Amino acid sequence: MDVSGILQEQAEKRNVTSSKQNLEIDVGCLAVTDSNPVDENDYSANLEDYLQSTAREGVQALITSLLSLPKQQTPDGPLSLLPAPTTQLPRQKPLPKPKPPTKWEKFAAAKGIQKTRREKKVWDEEKQDWVDRWGWKGKNKEKEEQWLSEVPANADVDHNPSQVARAERKKLIAKNERQRKGNEARAQANTSEQDKRKNEIEKTLASTRISTASMGKFDKKLEGEKKLRGIKRKFDPTERSVESEKKSALALISKIDGQPKKAKISPEGGTGDALNVRKAVRFASKGKGGVALAQGQTGKRQKGSKRSK
Protein backbone atom coordinates (compact mmCIF):
# COMPACT_ATOMS: atom_id res chain seq x y z
CA MET A 1 0.00 0.00 0.00
CA ASP A 2 1.45 3.37 -1.05
CA VAL A 3 1.02 5.91 1.76
CA SER A 4 3.47 8.52 0.47
CA GLY A 5 0.64 10.86 -0.50
CA ILE A 6 -0.87 10.71 2.98
CA LEU A 7 2.51 11.35 4.63
CA GLN A 8 3.20 14.30 2.36
CA GLU A 9 -0.23 15.77 3.13
CA GLN A 10 0.36 15.43 6.87
CA ALA A 11 3.82 17.04 6.57
CA GLU A 12 2.32 19.97 4.68
CA LYS A 13 -0.27 20.44 7.42
CA ARG A 14 2.44 20.53 10.10
CA ASN A 15 4.71 22.95 8.28
CA VAL A 16 2.09 25.60 7.69
CA THR A 17 3.44 29.12 7.28
CA SER A 18 1.60 32.40 6.98
CA SER A 19 1.57 33.99 3.53
CA LYS A 20 0.70 37.46 4.85
CA GLN A 21 3.28 40.17 5.28
CA ASN A 22 3.48 43.17 7.64
CA LEU A 23 2.33 41.14 10.65
CA GLU A 24 3.47 42.61 13.97
CA ILE A 25 4.07 39.65 16.28
CA ASP A 26 4.52 40.19 20.04
CA VAL A 27 5.40 36.74 21.37
CA GLY A 28 5.67 38.03 24.95
CA CYS A 29 1.98 39.04 24.93
CA LEU A 30 0.95 36.21 22.54
CA ALA A 31 -0.54 38.85 20.25
CA VAL A 32 -0.47 39.45 16.49
CA THR A 33 -1.42 42.75 14.82
CA ASP A 34 -2.41 42.65 11.16
CA SER A 35 -1.70 46.03 9.54
CA ASN A 36 -2.58 44.91 6.01
CA PRO A 37 -5.42 46.79 4.29
CA VAL A 38 -8.82 45.09 4.10
CA ASP A 39 -9.68 43.51 0.74
CA GLU A 40 -13.07 45.00 -0.07
CA ASN A 41 -14.02 42.30 -2.60
CA ASP A 42 -13.35 39.35 -0.30
CA TYR A 43 -14.85 41.23 2.65
CA SER A 44 -18.09 41.95 0.78
CA ALA A 45 -18.33 38.53 -0.86
CA ASN A 46 -18.20 36.42 2.31
CA LEU A 47 -17.55 38.16 5.62
CA GLU A 48 -17.33 34.97 7.73
CA ASP A 49 -14.76 33.26 5.49
CA TYR A 50 -12.67 36.44 5.29
CA LEU A 51 -12.54 36.82 9.08
CA GLN A 52 -11.67 33.16 9.57
CA SER A 53 -8.86 33.30 7.04
CA THR A 54 -7.43 36.49 8.62
CA ALA A 55 -7.51 34.93 12.10
CA ARG A 56 -5.95 31.70 10.79
CA GLU A 57 -3.06 33.58 9.18
CA GLY A 58 -2.34 35.43 12.45
CA VAL A 59 -2.45 32.25 14.55
CA GLN A 60 -0.18 30.43 12.12
CA ALA A 61 2.38 33.25 12.31
CA LEU A 62 2.23 33.24 16.13
CA ILE A 63 2.69 29.45 16.37
CA THR A 64 5.65 29.59 13.97
CA SER A 65 7.28 32.23 16.18
CA LEU A 66 6.63 30.15 19.32
CA LEU A 67 8.22 27.03 17.77
CA SER A 68 11.35 28.99 16.93
CA LEU A 69 11.91 30.01 20.58
CA PRO A 70 14.49 28.21 22.76
CA LYS A 71 13.02 25.31 24.69
CA GLN A 72 13.64 24.03 28.20
CA GLN A 73 13.08 20.45 29.32
CA THR A 74 10.85 20.06 32.37
CA PRO A 75 9.10 17.09 34.04
CA ASP A 76 5.91 18.20 32.29
CA GLY A 77 7.58 18.32 28.87
CA PRO A 78 9.44 20.91 26.79
CA LEU A 79 8.52 24.54 27.52
CA SER A 80 9.30 27.63 25.46
CA LEU A 81 10.74 30.66 27.21
CA LEU A 82 8.74 33.76 26.24
CA PRO A 83 10.69 36.98 25.70
CA ALA A 84 9.76 40.31 27.25
CA PRO A 85 6.65 41.95 25.72
CA THR A 86 7.20 44.77 23.24
CA THR A 87 3.64 46.14 23.20
CA GLN A 88 2.98 48.87 25.76
CA LEU A 89 -0.33 48.11 27.42
CA PRO A 90 -2.30 50.79 29.30
CA ARG A 91 -2.08 50.91 33.07
CA GLN A 92 -4.87 49.10 34.90
CA LYS A 93 -5.07 51.48 37.87
CA PRO A 94 -4.41 55.22 38.09
CA LEU A 95 -1.04 56.48 39.25
CA PRO A 96 -0.75 56.79 43.04
CA LYS A 97 -1.04 60.30 44.40
CA PRO A 98 2.23 61.77 45.70
CA LYS A 99 2.46 61.85 49.47
CA PRO A 100 2.56 65.32 51.05
CA PRO A 101 5.95 66.23 52.55
CA THR A 102 6.45 65.74 56.26
CA LYS A 103 7.45 68.48 58.69
CA TRP A 104 11.10 67.44 58.54
CA GLU A 105 11.07 67.25 54.72
CA LYS A 106 9.72 70.81 54.52
CA PHE A 107 12.40 72.01 56.94
CA ALA A 108 15.15 70.18 55.02
CA ALA A 109 13.99 71.65 51.71
CA ALA A 110 13.96 75.18 53.19
CA LYS A 111 17.45 74.76 54.67
CA GLY A 112 18.89 72.88 51.69
CA ILE A 113 19.65 69.72 53.68
CA GLN A 114 20.34 66.71 51.50
CA LYS A 115 18.89 63.37 52.54
CA THR A 116 21.54 60.74 53.26
CA ARG A 117 20.77 57.11 53.93
CA ARG A 118 22.22 55.82 57.20
CA GLU A 119 24.02 52.51 57.07
CA LYS A 120 22.53 49.58 58.95
CA LYS A 121 25.95 48.52 60.23
CA VAL A 122 28.34 50.54 62.43
CA TRP A 123 31.89 49.79 63.56
CA ASP A 124 32.36 48.66 67.15
CA GLU A 125 35.80 49.52 68.50
CA GLU A 126 35.64 47.05 71.38
CA LYS A 127 34.52 44.08 69.32
CA GLN A 128 36.50 45.18 66.26
CA ASP A 129 33.58 44.17 64.06
CA TRP A 130 30.58 45.62 62.25
CA VAL A 131 27.40 45.40 64.35
CA ASP A 132 23.77 46.35 63.73
CA ARG A 133 22.79 49.92 64.47
CA TRP A 134 19.33 48.87 65.72
CA GLY A 135 17.55 45.67 66.69
CA TRP A 136 18.62 42.76 68.87
CA LYS A 137 22.14 43.38 70.23
CA GLY A 138 22.16 46.68 68.37
CA LYS A 139 24.51 49.56 68.98
CA ASN A 140 21.68 51.65 70.42
CA LYS A 141 21.42 49.18 73.35
CA GLU A 142 25.09 49.44 74.27
CA LYS A 143 24.52 51.48 77.44
CA GLU A 144 21.83 49.08 78.64
CA GLU A 145 23.98 45.96 78.40
CA GLN A 146 27.46 47.16 79.38
CA TRP A 147 28.83 45.66 82.59
CA LEU A 148 30.30 48.91 83.93
CA SER A 149 28.47 52.28 83.88
CA GLU A 150 29.35 55.71 85.21
CA VAL A 151 27.03 56.97 87.97
CA PRO A 152 26.60 60.74 88.55
CA ALA A 153 27.75 62.10 91.92
CA ASN A 154 24.29 63.43 92.83
CA ALA A 155 22.46 60.22 91.85
CA ASP A 156 20.11 58.42 94.20
CA VAL A 157 21.07 55.29 96.06
CA ASP A 158 18.78 53.10 93.91
CA HIS A 159 19.97 54.65 90.63
CA ASN A 160 20.16 52.06 87.84
CA PRO A 161 22.03 53.28 84.74
CA SER A 162 20.71 50.39 82.64
CA GLN A 163 17.07 51.28 83.39
CA VAL A 164 17.73 54.98 82.73
CA ALA A 165 19.25 54.20 79.32
CA ARG A 166 16.33 51.92 78.48
CA ALA A 167 13.83 54.62 79.50
CA GLU A 168 15.58 57.18 77.27
CA ARG A 169 15.52 54.77 74.34
CA LYS A 170 11.80 54.05 74.86
CA LYS A 171 11.16 57.79 75.14
CA LEU A 172 12.86 58.36 71.78
CA ILE A 173 10.78 55.58 70.21
CA ALA A 174 7.57 57.14 71.56
CA LYS A 175 8.63 60.54 70.22
CA ASN A 176 9.22 59.11 66.75
CA GLU A 177 5.82 57.39 66.86
CA ARG A 178 4.09 60.66 67.82
CA GLN A 179 5.82 62.45 64.96
CA ARG A 180 4.77 59.71 62.53
CA LYS A 181 1.12 59.95 63.61
CA GLY A 182 1.29 63.73 63.38
CA ASN A 183 2.58 63.51 59.81
CA GLU A 184 -0.22 61.10 58.90
CA ALA A 185 -2.85 63.37 60.50
CA ARG A 186 -1.52 66.41 58.62
CA ALA A 187 -1.48 64.49 55.35
CA GLN A 188 -5.05 63.32 55.90
CA ALA A 189 -6.16 66.86 56.78
CA ASN A 190 -4.54 68.23 53.63
CA THR A 191 -6.22 65.55 51.52
CA SER A 192 -9.65 66.17 53.04
CA GLU A 193 -9.20 69.92 52.60
CA GLN A 194 -8.30 69.43 48.95
CA ASP A 195 -11.32 67.17 48.40
CA LYS A 196 -13.58 69.72 50.09
CA ARG A 197 -12.21 72.52 47.94
CA LYS A 198 -12.63 70.39 44.82
CA ASN A 199 -16.29 69.65 45.68
CA GLU A 200 -16.95 73.36 46.25
CA ILE A 201 -15.45 74.25 42.87
CA GLU A 202 -17.52 71.56 41.15
CA LYS A 203 -20.71 72.84 42.79
CA THR A 204 -19.93 76.41 41.78
CA LEU A 205 -19.21 75.32 38.21
CA ALA A 206 -22.45 73.34 38.07
CA SER A 207 -24.41 76.39 39.32
CA THR A 208 -22.87 78.65 36.67
CA ARG A 209 -23.57 76.13 33.92
CA ILE A 210 -27.32 76.15 34.56
CA SER A 211 -27.58 79.91 35.16
CA THR A 212 -28.35 80.73 31.53
CA ALA A 213 -31.80 80.85 29.93
CA SER A 214 -31.25 77.51 28.19
CA MET A 215 -30.05 75.86 31.43
CA GLY A 216 -26.63 75.37 29.83
CA LYS A 217 -27.97 73.41 26.86
CA PHE A 218 -26.48 75.68 24.18
CA ASP A 219 -23.40 76.81 26.12
CA LYS A 220 -19.92 75.97 24.90
CA LYS A 221 -18.58 72.89 26.65
CA LEU A 222 -15.11 72.85 28.18
CA GLU A 223 -12.57 70.19 27.32
CA GLY A 224 -13.05 67.15 29.53
CA GLU A 225 -16.20 68.59 31.12
CA LYS A 226 -18.48 65.96 32.60
CA LYS A 227 -22.19 65.79 31.97
CA LEU A 228 -24.34 67.14 34.78
CA ARG A 229 -26.40 64.66 36.71
CA GLY A 230 -29.78 65.66 38.03
CA ILE A 231 -33.44 64.79 38.25
CA LYS A 232 -35.03 64.84 34.84
CA ARG A 233 -38.66 65.82 34.40
CA LYS A 234 -40.79 63.12 32.86
CA PHE A 235 -43.62 64.07 30.54
CA ASP A 236 -46.32 61.79 29.21
CA PRO A 237 -46.23 61.21 25.47
CA THR A 238 -48.59 63.32 23.34
CA GLU A 239 -49.97 60.25 21.60
CA ARG A 240 -51.19 57.52 23.92
CA SER A 241 -53.45 54.53 23.59
CA VAL A 242 -57.12 54.76 24.42
CA GLU A 243 -56.71 52.37 27.32
CA SER A 244 -54.05 54.52 29.03
CA GLU A 245 -56.11 57.70 28.57
CA LYS A 246 -59.13 55.90 30.03
CA LYS A 247 -57.17 54.83 33.10
CA SER A 248 -55.80 58.33 33.73
CA ALA A 249 -59.29 59.89 33.32
CA LEU A 250 -60.85 57.38 35.73
CA ALA A 251 -58.12 58.01 38.27
CA LEU A 252 -58.74 61.78 38.07
CA ILE A 253 -62.51 61.32 38.44
CA SER A 254 -62.04 59.04 41.45
CA LYS A 255 -59.95 61.72 43.15
CA ILE A 256 -62.55 64.44 42.48
CA ASP A 257 -65.57 62.24 43.31
CA GLY A 258 -64.10 60.82 46.52
CA GLN A 259 -65.92 61.05 49.84
CA PRO A 260 -64.93 64.12 51.86
CA LYS A 261 -63.22 63.51 55.15
CA LYS A 262 -64.73 64.59 58.45
CA ALA A 263 -63.80 68.12 59.39
CA LYS A 264 -61.48 68.44 62.36
CA ILE A 265 -62.03 71.46 64.59
CA SER A 266 -58.81 73.31 65.24
CA PRO A 267 -57.99 75.00 68.57
CA GLU A 268 -58.65 78.38 66.94
CA GLY A 269 -62.22 77.42 66.16
CA GLY A 270 -61.73 76.72 62.46
CA THR A 271 -62.00 73.39 60.68
CA GLY A 272 -59.39 71.30 59.04
CA ASP A 273 -61.04 71.64 55.59
CA ALA A 274 -59.82 73.88 52.81
CA LEU A 275 -62.28 76.61 54.00
CA ASN A 276 -61.47 78.27 57.31
CA VAL A 277 -64.85 79.60 58.53
CA ARG A 278 -63.47 81.85 61.22
CA LYS A 279 -61.00 83.45 58.83
CA ALA A 280 -63.76 83.95 56.26
CA VAL A 281 -66.01 85.68 58.81
CA ARG A 282 -63.17 87.94 59.92
CA PHE A 283 -62.46 88.87 56.30
CA ALA A 284 -66.13 89.55 55.44
CA SER A 285 -66.71 91.66 58.58
CA LYS A 286 -63.41 93.50 58.11
CA GLY A 287 -62.20 92.35 61.52
CA LYS A 288 -65.36 93.33 63.45
CA GLY A 289 -66.55 89.78 64.13
CA GLY A 290 -69.60 87.62 63.43
CA VAL A 291 -72.05 89.74 65.50
CA ALA A 292 -71.29 92.89 63.53
CA LEU A 293 -71.63 90.96 60.30
CA ALA A 294 -75.09 89.64 61.37
CA GLN A 295 -76.24 93.11 62.40
CA GLY A 296 -75.09 94.48 59.08
CA GLN A 297 -77.01 91.84 57.19
CA THR A 298 -80.18 92.54 59.30
CA GLY A 299 -79.89 96.27 58.65
CA LYS A 300 -79.64 95.72 54.93
CA ARG A 301 -82.77 93.58 54.97
CA GLN A 302 -84.78 96.22 56.91
CA LYS A 303 -83.73 98.95 54.50
CA GLY A 304 -84.75 96.79 51.57
CA SER A 305 -88.20 96.10 53.05
CA LYS A 306 -88.84 99.82 53.68
CA ARG A 307 -87.99 100.65 50.10
CA SER A 308 -90.35 98.01 48.81
CA LYS A 309 -93.22 99.51 50.80
Side-chain angles (χ1 to χ4, degrees), residues 260-293:
K261 297 180 180 180
K262 293 182 179 180
K264 295 181 180 180
I265 301 174
S266 62
E268 298 179 357
T271 60
D273 294 337
L275 177 62
N276 192 333
V277 179
R278 188 170 183 177
K279 189 174 180 180
V281 171
R282 194 185 306 115
F283 178 77
S285 63
K286 297 181 180 179
K288 296 180 181 180
V291 179
L293 181 62

Side-chain angles (χ1 to χ4, degrees), residues 183-194:
N183 290 331
E184 291 180 355
R186 279 191 294 271
Q188 188 176 3
N190 293 336
T191 305
S192 60
E193 192 69 24
Q194 291 175 1

Side-chain angles (χ1 to χ4, degrees), residues 211-248:
S211 61
T212 57
S214 62
M215 300 291 287
K217 184 177 181 181
F218 302 104
D219 294 348
K220 186 178 180 180
K221 299 293 187 298
L222 301 175
E223 185 178 356
E225 188 176 1
K226 296 181 181 180
K227 187 177 180 181
L228 284 177
R229 294 182 179 180
I231 302 174
K232 296 182 179 180
R233 296 179 61 187
K234 295 182 179 180
F235 299 94
D236 295 333
T238 54
E239 296 182 0
R240 293 189 298 171
S241 62
V242 179
E243 191 67 24
S244 62
E245 289 186 1
K246 181 179 178 181
K247 288 182 180 179
S248 61

Side-chain angles (χ1 to χ4, degrees), residues 55 61 68 101 113 121 127 136 143 150 185 189 209 219 248-249 285 289 298 301:
S68 63
I113 301 174
K121 298 282 187 177
K127 297 180 180 179
W136 183 64
K143 293 182 179 180
E150 183 179 357
R209 286 177 59 184
D219 294 348
S248 61
S285 63
T298 306
R301 290 175 184 174

Side-chain angles (χ1 to χ4, degrees), residues 22 79 92 94-95 98 112 118 122 126 209-211 220 271 291:
N22 300 329
L79 296 178
Q92 180 183 6
L95 291 172
R118 300 181 69 180
V122 292
E126 295 181 2
R209 286 177 59 184
I210 60 174
S211 61
K220 186 178 180 180
T271 60
V291 179

Side-chain angles (χ1 to χ4, degrees), residues 16-21 23 56-62 64:
V16 176
T17 57
S18 176
S19 60
K20 277 196 173 184
Q21 303 295 329
L23 291 178
R56 183 173 59 253
E57 293 285 342
V59 173
Q60 288 172 357
L62 180 61
T64 303

